[in-house]
Amino acid sequence: MVCTRAEGPEADESVTLQPSVAIPSSAWARNYWARPPKRRKPLKPTFCQTLPLLPLGYRMWRHVRAAKREGREPFMDPFNDWQHDTSHGVPLGGIGCGAMGRGWRGGFRRYSTGKAPTGTVYITDDTPHSCFSICASKGKVPANGRVLLPRPARKRGAKDARYLTEEVRAESHSLFPRAWQVYDSPTKVNGDGPAFTATCEQLSPVIPHNYEDSSFPCCTFTWTIDNPNDEEIDVAIMFTLHNGTTAAQQKLGGGHHVEEDGDVKAVVMNHTLAGDPASFCIATEGQQDGTADACATWRADGFNALYDAFVANAGSLPAVPASSPKVATSRLSAVSRRVTVPANTSKSVSFALSWDFPIVRFGGGTDAYRLRYTKFFGDTGASAFHLARAALSRRERWREHIGSWQAPVLENPDLPNWYKAALFNEAYYLTAGGSVWTVDGGYDAPSPAEGDKAKKDLGPKRSADEPPDVAADDGFPERVKSDVLLLDADSLEKGHEDFLLTVATPVCPSSNGFEAHPMSPAPSEGGESPGVGASAVDQPVRLTPRYVSVNPLTEKPRAIFHEPYTPASNQSPGTQSEKDADIGHFLYLEGMEYRMHNTYDVHFYASFALAMLFPLLEKSLLLDVARCVTNEWTDRTVYLHSGDKGQRKPKHSVPHDLGGPTEEPWKKPNIYCIHDTSRWKDLPVKFVLMAYRDYLVLNRDVSFLKEVYPVALQVFEACCTHFGAKDTGMIVNDARPDQTYDAWCSEGVSAYCGGLWLAGLQVLAKIAEIVGDPDRAAACDCMFAKARRMYETLWNEGGGYYNYDSSTSRHSDSIQADQLCGEWYARACGLPSALPEGHAKRALGVVFEYNVVKFGRAAAARDRNKSFSRRGAINGMRPDGGPDTTSMQSVECWTGTTFGVAAHMILEGMATEAFETAGGVAAGTYEQFGFWFNTPEAWLEDGSFRSLGYMRPLSIWAMQWSLEKTAAEAAGHAHPTPSPSFVGRCDTTEQLTKT
């Protein structure tokens, strides 16, 4: 096992514990008693950078003050930055159902279990008594116990012996969506007590291509006790949880009661959030043999008394009557499980945690939205027990399928361990990033006038006492056995053969007004299809293998199997299968401090995670953006940077975001009001590029392309009209913030936006060809030829890179790390290079030399830490080897764009440089700076940061995309991309591309 090296010689970081539980060796690991990294500070602009921002700062201050006066949170608050916190760990729960945070040392503290009327997303109040405790005894010796949290710091008085001290060796391992805490003889006090190892495996149901289980707000904790003694030991574990996520909510919590069903014993804690019913549940097994116990309610300030009774009674809990509906102080509940472990053996016990917060309301409206899991468990807010029971019954299956998903990466010896850990751990943001997955919403949501009706009519109803239709075997509703698309682990074998997956083929109405059609099932083994209108029966579907390898030079492909999307090829244009129609709508925040949903210029990088893991969610998100493009919002807004007034969202412009939690997502896009984003040059092109990439991951569903093609034409026509592309073929920047680098201006033709435009023309021509519009394809080809000639004027032959822009400013020849962003996306989509032969690889070599190596060396020299000579890729470097200090963003290292640059390097055959580049971000996040499970948007060389908990680092999945593509091509297998066919359709003597 590997553990992260602490800063300082005092902390012994060696990991020597060897539990019987199989923990992946590449999981990120840390010793409980390691010295924490130095506390980093939010970065602030220098004096010279501040001067031009003073008008913006004043208007932003007024905007923040006005929002707080109205009782809501601003979409961003640069005057109250989040502080550095190294306590975070793998979050709990599925996707879009609210998340509960759990620290890497076992504590609970960051919650996003619902939306308050103020638009608040995250609650960071401590709940110090939400934790596990353990006691153990051997023979007739009285039990010793510990609260499995580090001893809290106290300024005065005696130290509390109930908590962990350095006497107990303990370590944490994290590999999202799993985590492990390992304790060596945690109940020993001054050497007295039985020797054993206790390992807690935390498991959440985040399973790629599973669109049901992955939405469940629950998780499990499986404790394994290894007894190395020659006689049996008795061990008991207690799980306590506060009723609520803040002190105020805990006091307002409703009644607590014990529930039993079969072998499951649980405590349900009723609650309300923004007036809607909700509940928590903690559960364990062992009811039938009498080894499980429960305490319905206890005063939180009397936790020590509850713990002392638990230890004194060797794991039994005091009998306390259930609380009344209204309580006067914070309350908690507890469940416990006792187990006798024979000599030299191991035994396991499991606990479950669930929460049922079925309704989401946003700060700016009255509409209510049901979360995705309510489709399976109802929306009464009384299903927490059924969720917990389902988690306990399915935990083995979840573990099996998560292991199958991660195994091809974890078992590949060519991959560095830091990459394996970072790849999965950065996916934490899909759960913890303020994500919301609704049944209803999008642009089919009820109008504000229908808000009252929406509160009352939220789909099929059950009484609070009526359980959902639960199957006897696994605790899941009987009616939801249709589209849980999981790999059959028994049939998963090594090799390149096809594999079978059993799915149902239900019939449902279309969501867009066309005639309903059934899904077209795959033929049965006998070769016959049940045909249109067949009843829902299990049908075998063949899985297409995808190949993954870390090092393309090894040419050793490994098969990884993803459930394929089934295109509606036999349906009328515009119809959807049930899986599409029922997938719902997905929102997630740009950042925990930047409260804007589905920020599209940032999602451009992060979307590879959704596209590879949950492609139907990515499709739903893109279609929501497409529908927004075709609409307009005429209300006026003040742009904080310039002070000008403008239309909130003009027609045919791609939105910057789909709104924020402080207003009403979907219905009020573009909550970002710093700049007029309808003038941004990158958003229209990014929409088209992502549409084509999504077409590829959706198994080349032509009906999807036909749906988005008219929207793509609209946005490109708008670009040609407003951005100067009609005459020259190339869009030009306006010397003001008009792209994702919104504090780093460019003028004229720019490497970033110009390269995106070239890629966009390539992709639009390809889409036109696929949907049968050859005239438009030819027009795009001709415009591409003109634009390419203009773009090549940026080529710096002496330096070997593309200049930042074509202006006469002093930074026009700066080296931008992200200069080939458009080229990267086109290559990732299987299109040929738009640049002359060798230019891309040469430019990436310069970026590596300057923005990665020289930046890292200078940073290491300044802080005298030679062990971390890579910090990622700084955004801008000057040809003389110094940073571009033009703006605060030019001197930042953006974690997400660094992963994007590394993904492009892999496609250009620069795997070594790619891993060295991306490794700097991983080292900064998980070792040097301590940003684990809180990765920021940007940092400086000294670790000062901006915007903790950000969306863009999900782009590490773009590296995985590049690795799969390169390895598949090296092995002679087709990656899910089209063969290059762009060349040769334009009547020009110039060779447009070279491959």
Side-chain angles (χ1 to χ4, degrees):
M1 299 179 186
V2 180
C3 188
T4 300
R5 182 68 54 187
E7 292 185 353
E10 295 87 344
D12 179 11
E13 290 270 6
S14 59
V15 178
T16 58
L17 304 182
Q18 297 294 332
S20 62
V21 177
I23 301 176
S25 61
S26 54
W28 176 74
R30 190 166 178 84
N31 188 294
Y32 264 44
W33 314 115
R35 178 185 297 179
K38 176 183 176 182
R39 190 180 183 88
R40 308 292 169 170
K41 297 180 179 179
L43 65 84
K44 301 296 182 184
T46 64
F47 178 76
C48 293
Q49 293 167 350
T50 300
L51 289 179
L53 298 177
L54 287 176
L56 168 62
Y58 172 69
R59 297 187 193 100
M60 177 62 79
W61 173 76
R62 293 187 59 186
H63 175 84
V64 170
R65 187 179 63 170
K68 292 186 175 180
R69 189 185 299 123
E70 295 170 5
R72 57 184 176 86
E73 294 289 333
F75 72 93
M76 66 169 61
D77 184 358
F79 309 103
N80 292 282
D81 297 305
W82 282 26
Q83 298 303 305
H84 186 204
D85 185 351
T86 61
S87 67
H88 298 298
V90 174
L92 308 173
I95 295 174
C97 56
M100 295 183 69
R102 189 165 186 245
W104 62 274
R105 294 205 288 185
F108 294 77
R109 69 178 311 269
R110 184 165 69 189
Y111 302 82
S112 59
T113 53
K115 302 296 175 71
T118 61
T120 299
V121 178
Y122 294 99
I123 300 168
T124 57
D125 291 21
D126 286 315
T127 53
H129 305 312
S130 294
C131 60
F132 285 94
S133 303
I134 192 170
C135 69
S137 63
K138 185 170 62 173
K140 297 182 180 181
V141 178
N144 289 335
R146 297 272 192 175
V147 179
L148 294 176
L149 290 174
R151 183 165 54 196
R154 295 188 176 183
K155 294 182 179 179
R156 297 179 182 176
K159 295 180 179 179
D160 195 336
R162 299 178 179 90
Y163 291 84
L164 293 176
T165 64
E166 287 87 342
E167 178 185 4
V168 176
R169 290 190 300 164
E171 64 200 37
S172 174
H173 302 257
S174 303
L175 196 71
F176 180 84
R178 297 179 291 175
W180 299 262
Q181 288 82 37
V182 185
Y183 306 91
D184 181 23
S185 303
T187 61
K188 276 192 174 182
V189 179
N190 297 323
D192 296 330
F196 65 94
T197 301
T199 304
C200 175
E201 180 195 37
Q202 168 190 316
L203 174 67
S204 295
V206 179
I207 306 168
H209 305 278
N210 180 325
Y211 295 93
E212 290 188 3
D213 299 48
S214 296
S215 72
F216 293 168
C218 56
C219 63
T220 63
F221 304 93
T222 299
W223 285 87
T224 301
I225 308 299
D226 299 325
N227 178 16
N229 302 287
D230 293 330
E231 56 183 303
E232 67 181 25
I233 60 173
D234 296 310
V235 178
I237 299 172
M238 178 176 68
F239 183 17
T240 52
L241 187 76
H242 281 271
N243 183 5
T245 55
T246 67
Q249 289 177 356
Q250 292 158 21
K251 292 181 180 180
L252 296 174
H256 302 208
H257 66 276
V258 176
E259 267 198 58
E260 301 172 356
D261 187 5
D263 200 37
V264 178
K265 191 163 192 172
V267 177
V268 176
M269 295 159 273
N270 297 320
H271 199 63
T272 59
L273 182 68
D276 294 312
S279 55
F280 292 97
C281 179
I282 52 177
T284 189
E285 296 170 317
Q287 164 64 17
Q288 293 177 339
D289 62 10
T291 59
D293 206 351
C295 176
T297 184
W298 196 272
R299 288 174 59 102
D301 56 10
F303 171 80
N304 287 350
L306 174 63
Y307 167 81
D308 291 341
F310 162 72
V311 175
N313 296 326
S316 297
L317 298 178
V320 177
S323 68
S324 60
K326 293 185 180 291
V327 291
T329 185
S330 300
R331 313 294 290 186
L332 56 81
S333 297
V335 292
S336 69
R337 179 75 187 277
R338 301 180 300 279
V339 61
T340 298
V341 186
N344 300 304
T345 60
S346 301
K347 275 199 173 182
S348 296
V349 296
S350 293
F351 295 82
L353 165 65
S354 64
W355 54 96
D356 183 15
F357 286 44
I359 306 302
V360 169
R361 301 180 191 275
F362 297 101
T366 58
D367 292 345
Y369 301 91
R370 296 171 298 170
L371 292 178
R372 164 75 172 175
Y373 74 89
T374 64
K375 178 178 172 63
F376 319 112
F377 286 92
D379 54 28
T380 64
S383 295
F385 173 73
H386 303 291
L387 282 160
R389 187 177 62 161
L392 288 170
S393 66
R394 279 226 163 176
R395 66 181 184 276
E396 295 299 333
R397 207 177 312 177
W398 289 347
R399 181 186 296 116
E400 183 179 351
H401 292 301
I402 290 170
S404 298
W405 160 44
Q406 295 181 339
V409 173
L410 299 181
E411 294 174 3
N412 193 321
D414 297 324
L415 269 172
N417 277 343
W418 66 260
Y419 173 79
K420 298 175 184 180
L423 178 70
F424 295 112
N425 284 335
E426 287 302 324
Y428 87 96
Y429 198 78
L430 294 177
T431 293
S435 58
V436 178
W437 188 357
T438 64
V439 173
D440 32 31
Y443 292 95
D444 300 322
S447 65
E450 298 171 325
D452 293 335
K453 180 181 177 182
K455 292 181 185 179
K456 301 173 184 176
D457 184 13
L458 291 169
K461 293 293 182 182
R462 294 183 177 84
S463 68
D465 299 326
E466 180 185 358
D469 301 328
V470 176
D473 60 337
D474 63 0
F476 274 64
E478 191 63 64
R479 66 182 186 278
V480 300
K481 303 281 186 167
S482 57
D483 58 341
V484 184
L485 300 176
L486 290 173
L487 295 175
D488 181 1
D490 294 334
S491 66
L492 189 61
E493 302 173 358
K494 300 294 183 182
H496 305 333
E497 299 83 10
D498 289 342
F499 292 87
L500 293 179
L501 178 73
T502 299
V503 299
T505 56
V507 180
C508 82
S510 169
S511 65
N512 54 15
F514 289 86
E515 181 182 357
H517 288 265
M519 292 173 60
S520 178
S524 65
E525 291 185 5
E528 297 180 358
S529 172
V532 176
S535 60
V537 293
D538 288 342
Q539 297 293 333
V541 176
R542 293 209 169 264
L543 296 182
T544 304
R546 296 173 66 188
Y547 297 91
V548 56
S549 175
V550 233
N551 188 347
L553 302 179
T554 64
E555 301 184 3
K556 296 177 182 177
R558 293 168 180 262
I560 180 170
F561 296 89
H562 292 256
E563 179 274 318
Y565 171 77
T566 304
S569 56
N570 297 327
Q571 300 178 6
S572 302
T575 63
Q576 292 177 309
S577 67
E578 185 196 26
K579 220 164 62 172
D580 292 348
D582 288 353
I583 205 65
H585 302 269
F586 184 74
L587 299 169
Y588 68 142
L589 294 174
E590 177 182 337
M592 297 180 185
E593 296 185 74
Y594 291 2
R595 293 173 284 272
M596 296 163 278
H597 287 301
N598 298 355
T599 303
Y600 214 55
D601 60 307
V602 183
H603 176 68
F604 176 75
Y605 297 85
S607 62
F608 279 94
L610 272 185
M612 296 181 71
L613 304 179
F614 297 94
L616 292 183
L617 281 184
E618 167 58 22
K619 176 186 178 182
S620 172
L621 191 158
L622 185 135
L623 290 179
D624 276 341
V625 172
R627 296 181 189 110
C628 184
V629 168
T630 59
N631 290 287
E632 66 177 340
W633 280 258
T634 58
D635 49 311
R636 310 290 286 178
T637 188
V638 176
Y639 297 116
L640 302 178
H641 183 268
S642 63
D644 299 333
K645 289 186 177 181
Q647 186 175 341
R648 181 175 186 130
K649 197 278 175 187
K651 197 170 186 178
H652 299 159
S653 66
V654 176
H656 171 272
D657 55 80
L658 293 185
T662 61
E663 294 186 343
E664 193 76 3
W666 297 301
K667 296 183 179 178
K668 289 187 176 181
N670 285 353
I671 192 173
Y672 175 88
C673 58
I674 296 178
H675 304 291
D676 179 3
T677 56
S678 68
R679 301 288 305 174
W680 279 22
K681 308 304 184 296
D682 58 340
L683 286 172
V685 186
K686 288 176 175 177
F687 171 80
V688 177
L689 291 171
M690 279 190 276
Y692 184 69
R693 191 273 320 278
D694 293 350
Y695 154 77
L696 298 177
V697 299
L698 296 173
N699 274 8
R700 297 178 174 85
D701 182 8
V702 177
S703 64
F704 166 74
L705 271 191
K706 288 181 176 179
E707 187 171 0
V708 300
Y709 180 59
V711 183
L713 290 181
Q714 291 170 3
V715 299
F716 260 75
E717 288 291 344
C719 285
C720 291
T721 302
H722 301 297
F723 302 157
K726 263 191 174 178
D727 297 327
T728 63
M730 174 60 75
I731 58 173
V732 293
N733 295 91
D734 300 331
R736 59 181 175 183
D738 58 0
Q739 29 88 14
T740 194
Y741 296 90
D742 55 357
W744 190 12
C745 299
S746 53
E747 183 177 3
V749 181
S750 68
Y752 184 76
C753 292
L756 283 170
W757 180 251
L758 286 180
L761 288 171
Q762 280 185 288
V763 164
L764 189 61
K766 187 65 180 177
I767 295 175
E769 178 186 313
I770 294 170
V771 302
D773 189 355
D775 292 340
R776 178 68 63 174
C780 288
D781 288 349
C782 292
M783 182 173 284
F784 172 84
K786 292 163 57 176
R788 182 174 179 271
R789 285 192 291 268
M790 287 201 65
Y791 189 74
E792 284 304 313
T793 62
L794 295 175
W795 179 249
N796 188 321
E797 182 61 35
Y801 63 94
Y802 287 90
N803 289 333
Y804 180 69
D805 63 21
S806 63
S807 69
T808 57
S809 66
R810 62 183 180 87
H811 69 280
S812 64
D813 60 345
S814 289
I815 306 165
Q816 184 181 12
D818 207 12
Q819 61 184 269
L820 298 181
C821 181
E823 172 76 0
W824 155 51
Y825 235 79
R827 291 291 311 282
C829 291
L831 296 174
S833 174
L835 308 179
E837 185 175 4
H839 277 200
K841 190 167 186 176
R842 188 177 172 193
L844 287 174
V846 172
V847 167
F848 179 74
E849 179 185 354
Y850 281 77
N851 301 63
V852 177
V853 175
K854 289 188 176 182
F855 167 63
R857 286 175 181 169
R862 286 189 180 92
D863 64 12
R864 300 178 183 178
N865 190 344
K866 305 297 184 182
S867 60
F868 295 99
S869 59
R870 298 290 181 267
R871 309 291 172 90
I874 188 175
N875 283 337
M877 286 287 278
R878 299 292 300 143
D880 62 6
D884 183 336
T885 58
T886 305
S887 73
M888 60 181 295
Q889 289 181 344
S890 61
V891 297
E892 293 175 340
C893 165
W894 285 11
T895 54
T897 58
T898 297
F899 289 138
V901 171
H904 191 187
M905 288 177 174
I906 292 170
L907 294 175
E908 293 293 339
M910 304 169 61
T912 300
E913 292 87 345
F915 283 107
E916 194 168 341
T917 298
V921 172
T925 301
Y926 294 98
E927 297 185 58
Q928 186 181 14
F929 300 146
F931 292 132
W932 43 79
F933 304 100
N934 219 16
T935 312
E937 154 75 322
W939 61 51
L940 298 183
E941 58 189 26
D942 61 355
S944 55
F945 59 89
R946 179 168 61 82
S947 186
L948 287 170
Y950 201 71
M951 176 198 293
R952 202 177 331 237
L954 282 169
S955 60
I956 192 173
W957 282 91
M959 294 181 65
Q960 188 64 17
W961 174 284
S962 296
L963 291 166
E964 291 187 15
K965 181 177 186 299
T966 305
E969 292 172 352
H973 301 286
H975 190 259
T977 52
S979 58
S981 59
F982 182 78
V983 182
R985 292 196 305 267
C986 182
D987 184 17
T988 176
T989 57
E990 181 177 4
Q991 183 181 356
L992 300 185
T993 59
K994 296 181 181 180
T995 58

